[in-house]
């Protein structure tokens, strides 16, 4: 049994180029950015080869698809570099937690609030947890008043994302930067 050689597989990621372009006609842009008009794909591939470049499909969803005379390797390299730069510059938003007790003293409260303001200034969300112990659980209104005070103190730079709610022996509230 004689096997014929396989054609190179189509590119899995990145743009289609040269013989992998499925459309019979494409709108062609040359290496200088000038529009050459709509032409048959095979003819455009030959013109690109004469210029020493590849025909790269830059906008496959257009009608007809837009293809450009480019060096495929260089195009993929620049696209990868741009994606890496975008990934490096993006910042994920974390949830920081501040724990308090319902009968917290003023100075301790001020210290915790400084931390809350710094977290919000950095662009992070803040989860404020109020832990009740023993008989404190029967005085949940004190905890609610404390969380209302926190919300009022941060009204300038944060908004309440999750209003105070009880979960077991804890009361939770989430603040997010404005």
């Amino acid at each position: 049994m004689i096997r014929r050689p396989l054609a190179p597989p189509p590119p899995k990621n990145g743009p289609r180029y040269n013989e992998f372009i499925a459309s019979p006609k494409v709108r062609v842009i040359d290496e200088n950015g000038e529009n050459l008009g709509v032409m048959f794909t095979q003819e455009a591939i030959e013109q690109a080869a004469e210029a020493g470049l590849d025909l790269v499909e830059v906008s496959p969803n257009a009608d007809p698809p837009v293809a450009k005379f480019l060096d495929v390797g260089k195009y993929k390299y620049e696209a990868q570099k741009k994606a890496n730069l975008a990934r490096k510059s993006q910042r994920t938003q974390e949830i920081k937690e501040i724990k308090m007790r319902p009968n917290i003293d003023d100075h301790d409260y001020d210290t915790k609030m400084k931390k809350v303001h710094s977290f919000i200034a950095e662009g992070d969300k803040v989860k404020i947890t109020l832990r009740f112990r023993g008989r404190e659980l029967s005085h949940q209104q004190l905890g609610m008043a404390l969380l209302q005070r926190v919300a009022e103190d941060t009204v300038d730079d944060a908004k309440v994302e999750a209003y105070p709610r009880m979960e077991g022996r804890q009361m939770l509230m989430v603040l997010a930067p404005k």
Side-chain angles (χ1 to χ4, degrees):
M1 184 164 83
I2 300 171
R3 290 196 161 177
R4 58 190 155 93
L6 293 173
K12 288 185 176 65
N13 57 357
R16 291 188 293 240
Y17 58 94
N18 293 343
E19 66 271 4
F20 303 119
I21 298 174
S23 177
K25 286 188 174 184
V26 289
R27 181 174 306 280
V28 181
I29 298 172
D30 70 357
E31 64 273 13
N32 301 324
E34 293 179 30
N35 190 351
L36 300 180
V38 178
M39 58 177 71
F40 289 105
T41 305
Q42 199 56 42
E43 183 184 336
I45 291 172
E46 290 168 6
Q47 283 189 10
E50 287 174 15
L53 298 168
D54 301 300
L55 184 69
V56 181
E57 197 174 43
V58 290
S59 180
N61 298 331
D63 186 34
V66 178
K68 205 171 191 179
F69 292 173
L70 297 171
D71 181 11
V72 170
K74 187 176 179 183
Y75 183 74
K76 283 183 177 178
Y77 173 74
E78 287 173 356
Q80 183 183 19
K81 206 170 170 182
K82 196 183 299 182
N84 287 344
L85 185 66
R87 188 170 46 246
K88 191 192 312 184
S89 64
Q90 95 185 65
R91 184 185 181 316
T92 57
Q93 192 176 48
E94 295 180 30
I95 297 181
K96 306 284 188 169
E97 186 174 16
I98 298 285
K99 293 185 179 180
M100 294 184 187
R101 297 281 309 279
N103 57 350
I104 190 169
D105 199 38
D106 288 338
H107 180 65
D108 296 333
Y109 174 81
D110 294 339
T111 305
K112 299 274 188 185
M113 288 311 294
K114 281 183 189 172
K115 269 323 241 185
V116 168
H117 286 294
S118 71
F119 289 150
I120 289 175
E122 290 172 12
D124 295 323
K125 291 183 180 180
V126 180
K127 176 178 164 185
I128 297 172
T129 306
L130 215 61
R131 179 154 225 148
F132 293 97
R133 286 197 195 148
R135 291 184 184 168
E136 291 174 348
L137 200 55
S138 61
H139 298 288
Q140 293 180 9
Q141 73 276 7
L142 295 176
M144 189 61 83
L146 181 64
L147 290 180
Q148 291 298 328
R149 182 177 165 199
V150 169
E152 289 169 10
D153 289 349
T154 58
V155 76
D156 294 334
D157 50 352
K159 62 179 184 283
V160 178
E161 190 171 86
Y163 288 94
R165 68 180 189 281
M166 283 297 293
E167 280 187 12
R169 292 187 158 268
Q170 295 180 350
M171 191 177 279
L172 305 172
M173 180 171 78
V174 179
L175 299 173
K178 279 190 176 176

